[in-house]
């Protein structure tokens, strides 16, 4: 059946596998639009898709879910095949030329696709190899055999789907680290589809924010108790739901290497030099200097790991390991839910992830000319991250930003590193910029942000100079 399925041309559109960040997926689709002919047309256009064009439906598990086709007109797989038209007409002709026994063998093959129960990670490519030193996604240095084993153990934990008995909380954004950090490799950034959603409510210019970074549609209603005296319309009118982009983790160990004194040396909270830039470091209550997260609110890689496990997956670690966890999260799994050895392996993997290699060793003159390096400092302690790791006021109105932090304004954000930036779209803290050009323009915020002068200088450049600057950013 599988052989005949290929011979009559079904795999021209129903590709057996597609490569992905978690291995080859046996979905039997190309995820493309195809003209299926007038007989299947529904006359509905969606964007540039015409009324005759439909996406190739994945076939894994197809035998479990009749009826078939976009409008459910086919009660059986045989009917679904024979309704195909347009680009698939040649395959239908091939099908009709088969004997009954041959057709039955194809149907048997289709019914067998995807009937194996999901046993967690069954989609992962067993042939996947851990990138080595010098490769994207590999470690930042040569590791000895013991370190390599620890790195691979951490990478496996990063790539593991957690389940309830493993500590996955009823309230979570994802069930693995990989889910949010996979562009362009394991440990990278996340696309728009995995943005964390933050939810809050404005009341007389004060923002109430839900605890943890929980998706609103998973919240029990009893958590929403900010102002029960308000009517529903008022509540909804003042509700803010905002996205947060998962940042790339490549190079975090290099960033932890940068000294506090180097970060503090670039502070200018009162803009004493008069350049309009007033960056300041994030100081935790215990005096530590923050450097990770959109608010620079996390000081170390270990704290970053503990915070992500708790906030995004709902998994606890022992409180002695980090202040960015809790002793008990009141789910069905005994706390701490990650043993110390696993925390160390995960921390080691994240810490040792190499930063993206730059394609250039020189800073483009235009980068300095328009003032980008006022915040995106090319190097700190010989680490070429293109960030000062300081907080800057981006000019967002308080009433449009959910973030609530005791040591940072709602409109203040850490300067994100630019290494590997071409592979981490979309951009900005909320993923609202699809391109680097859009991200640069958003730095102004109507002239309210610290970077508005740089935006003006960028807009004044010729088209060729703008393209040169964007190509430089792509090369980092």
């Amino acid at each position: 059946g599988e052989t005949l399925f290929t011979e009559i041309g079904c795999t021209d559109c129903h590709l057996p596998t597609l490569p992905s960040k978690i291995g080859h997926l046996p979905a039997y689709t190309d995820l493309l639009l195809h003209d299926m002919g007038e007989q299947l047309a529904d006359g509905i256009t969606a964007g540039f898709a015409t009324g005759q064009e439909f996406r190739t439906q994945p076939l894994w598990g197809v035998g479990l879910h009749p009826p078939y086709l976009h409008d459910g007109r086919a009660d059986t797989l045989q009917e679904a095949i024979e309704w195909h038209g347009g680009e698939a007409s040649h395959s239908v002709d091939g099908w009709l030329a088969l004997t009954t026994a041959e057709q039955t063998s194809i149907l048997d093959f289709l019914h067998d696709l995807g009937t194996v129960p999901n046993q967690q990670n069954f989609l992962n490519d067993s042939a996947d190899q851990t990138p080595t030193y010098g490769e994207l996604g590999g470690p930042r240095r040569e590791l000895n055999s013991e370190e390599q084993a620890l790195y691979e153990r951490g990478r496996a934990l990063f790539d593991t789907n957690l389940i309830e008995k493993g500590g996955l909380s009823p309230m979570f954004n994802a069930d693995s680290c990989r889910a949010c950090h996979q562009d362009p490799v394991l440990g990278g950034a996340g696309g728009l589809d995995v943005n964390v959603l933050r939810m809050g409510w404005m009341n007389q210019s004060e923002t109430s924010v839900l605890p943890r970074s929980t998706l609103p549609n998973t919240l029990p209603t009893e958590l929403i108790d900010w102002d029960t005296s308000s009517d529903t319309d008022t509540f909804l009118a003042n509700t803010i739901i905002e996205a947060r982009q998962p940042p790339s983790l490549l190079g975090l160990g290099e960033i932890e290497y940068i000294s506090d004194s180097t970060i503090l040396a670039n502070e200018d909270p009162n803009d004493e030099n008069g350049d309009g830039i007033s960056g300041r470091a994030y100081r935790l209550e215990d005096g530590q200097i923050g450097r990770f997260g959109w608010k620079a609110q996390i000081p170390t890689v270990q704290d970053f790991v503990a915070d992500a496990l708790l906030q995004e997956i709902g998994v606890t670690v022992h409180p002695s390991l980090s202040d960015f966890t809790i002793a008990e999260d009141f789910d069905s799994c005994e706390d701490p839910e990650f043993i110390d050895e696993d925390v160390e392996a995960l921390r080691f993997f994240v810490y040792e992830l190499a930063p993206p290699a730059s394609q250039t060793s020189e800073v483009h003159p235009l980068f300095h000319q328009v003032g980008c390096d006022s915040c995106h400092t090319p190097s700190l302690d010989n680490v070429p991250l293109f960030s000062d790791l300081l907080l800057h006021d981006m000019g967002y109105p308080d009433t449009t930003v959910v973030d609530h932090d005791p040591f940072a304004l709602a409109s203040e954000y850490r300067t994100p590193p630019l290494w590997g930036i071409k592979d981490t779209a979309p951009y900005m803290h909320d993923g609202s910029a699809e391109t680097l050009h859009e991200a640069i323009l958003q730095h102004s915020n109507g002239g309210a942000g610290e970077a508005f002068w740089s935006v003006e200088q960028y807009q004044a450049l010729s088209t060729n100079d703008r393209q040169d600057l964007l190509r430089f950013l792509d090369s980092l």
Side-chain angles (χ1 to χ4, degrees):
E2 182 178 10
T3 300
L4 290 169
F5 185 79
T6 299
E7 288 180 356
I8 66 174
C10 298
T11 54
D12 291 346
C13 302
H14 292 283
L15 301 181
T17 64
L18 289 177
S20 82
K21 300 296 191 302
I22 61 171
H24 286 272
L25 304 185
Y28 283 84
T29 177
D30 58 9
L31 297 177
L32 299 178
L33 293 170
H34 293 278
D35 188 332
M36 298 303 294
E38 293 182 3
Q39 281 189 297
L40 278 184
D42 59 7
I44 298 173
T45 59
F48 54 76
T50 70
Q52 294 186 186
E53 290 182 310
F54 297 93
R55 181 197 69 155
T56 305
Q57 181 71 6
L59 295 183
W60 51 14
V62 68
L64 303 175
H65 304 291
Y68 305 109
L69 300 178
H70 66 280
D71 52 5
R73 70 176 68 180
D75 293 325
T76 66
L77 285 173
Q78 179 170 344
E79 290 178 343
I81 293 170
E82 294 176 1
W83 270 105
H84 278 53
E87 296 178 27
S89 297
H90 70 288
S91 293
V92 176
D93 291 340
W95 162 267
L96 295 175
L98 297 176
T99 66
T100 300
E102 289 172 330
Q103 291 180 349
T104 300
S105 68
I106 290 180
L107 296 177
D108 289 342
F109 163 68
L110 293 175
H111 280 288
D112 279 343
L113 290 178
T115 57
V116 178
N118 185 345
Q119 295 297 323
Q120 300 295 329
N121 291 326
F122 85 109
L123 294 179
N124 286 341
D125 188 348
S126 60
D128 176 51
Q129 298 294 317
T130 301
T132 59
Y133 172 66
E135 295 179 328
L136 186 63
R140 63 193 180 99
R141 58 186 177 88
E142 293 278 8
L143 303 178
N144 61 38
S145 58
E146 184 178 344
E147 291 172 328
Q148 183 66 30
L150 185 62
Y151 185 83
E152 292 181 6
R153 171 63 180 159
R155 189 174 188 270
L157 289 166
F158 194 94
D159 195 32
T160 297
N161 296 339
L162 292 176
I163 56 178
E164 186 176 359
K165 66 180 181 181
L168 184 67
S169 170
M171 295 185 294
F172 62 92
N173 282 313
D175 61 1
S176 70
C177 303
R178 173 202 67 240
C180 292
H181 298 281
Q182 55 177 266
D183 290 335
V185 291
L186 196 72
L192 194 63
D193 55 330
V194 292
N195 267 352
V196 172
L197 298 184
R198 301 293 306 278
M199 185 173 179
W201 192 67
M202 289 299 301
N203 182 20
Q204 297 178 348
S205 298
E206 294 183 0
T207 307
S208 299
V209 183
L210 279 176
R212 315 242 301 260
S213 307
T214 312
L215 291 174
N217 64 356
T218 68
L219 290 173
T221 55
E222 58 265 23
L223 285 182
I224 304 177
D225 59 359
W226 301 303
D227 189 354
T228 54
S229 63
S230 299
D231 60 45
T232 302
D233 290 341
T234 300
F235 175 82
L236 293 176
N238 290 285
T239 296
I240 305 172
I241 298 176
E242 195 171 26
R244 286 292 173 270
Q245 259 299 95
S248 174
L249 308 186
L250 303 181
L252 257 60
E254 298 282 343
I255 294 176
E256 185 168 308
Y257 164 80
I258 298 167
S259 68
D260 288 353
S261 59
T262 297
I263 297 173
L264 294 174
N266 290 313
E267 274 194 305
D268 187 15
N270 299 315
D271 191 20
E272 294 182 1
N273 62 7
D275 65 353
I277 306 298
S278 54
R280 65 187 186 91
Y282 185 104
R283 289 172 170 81
L284 280 77
E285 196 168 14
D286 61 4
Q288 292 188 87
I289 301 300
R291 59 190 69 205
F292 303 117
W294 282 107
K295 292 288 188 179
Q297 73 275 21
I298 301 176
T300 69
V301 171
Q302 179 148 314
D303 289 327
F304 184 91
V305 168
D307 181 76
L309 285 172
L310 177 66
Q311 301 288 353
E312 318 307 344
I313 306 178
V315 170
T316 58
V317 305
H318 197 282
S320 65
L321 299 178
S322 175
D323 292 332
F324 289 81
T325 190
I326 53 179
E328 186 175 4
D329 62 356
F330 305 104
D331 60 15
S332 60
C333 193
E334 183 179 355
D335 297 293
E337 294 158 339
F338 240 49
I339 61 174
D340 294 2
E341 291 83 358
D342 285 350
V343 177
E344 171 55 19
L346 191 56
R347 182 208 69 82
F348 186 80
F349 168 69
V350 174
Y351 186 89
E352 294 296 341
L353 278 170
S358 178
Q359 300 171 18
T360 180
S361 59
E362 301 293 332
V363 178
H364 199 291
L366 289 172
F367 190 79
H368 172 72
Q369 178 180 319
V370 303
C372 298
D373 58 354
S374 297
C375 304
H376 290 283
T377 307
S379 177
L380 296 177
D381 287 346
N382 295 317
V383 178
L385 75 168
F386 283 82
S387 169
D388 57 11
L389 300 178
L390 299 176
L391 292 170
H392 293 276
D393 192 333
M394 299 301 295
Y396 299 105
D398 289 349
T399 55
T400 64
V401 180
V402 177
D403 279 314
H404 174 71
D405 189 287
F407 304 111
L409 299 175
S411 58
E412 285 184 313
Y413 287 93
R414 181 199 70 155
T415 307
L418 295 184
W419 52 16
I421 191 71
K422 71 182 178 66
D423 294 318
T424 62
Y427 305 108
M428 309 303 288
H429 66 283
D430 55 0
S432 57
E434 295 184 8
T435 66
L436 287 171
H437 171 72
E438 292 176 14
I440 294 171
L441 296 182
Q442 283 196 28
H443 277 57
S444 176
N445 282 312
E450 292 183 26
F452 77 93
W453 182 85
S454 292
V455 177
E456 289 182 344
Q457 298 304 304
Y458 172 76
Q459 290 177 307
L461 294 176
S462 68
T463 300
N464 287 339
D465 282 347
R466 286 189 199 174
Q467 292 303 315
D468 282 347
L469 181 56
L470 294 174
R471 279 192 290 269
F472 167 70
L473 295 176
D474 277 344
S475 73
L476 296 180

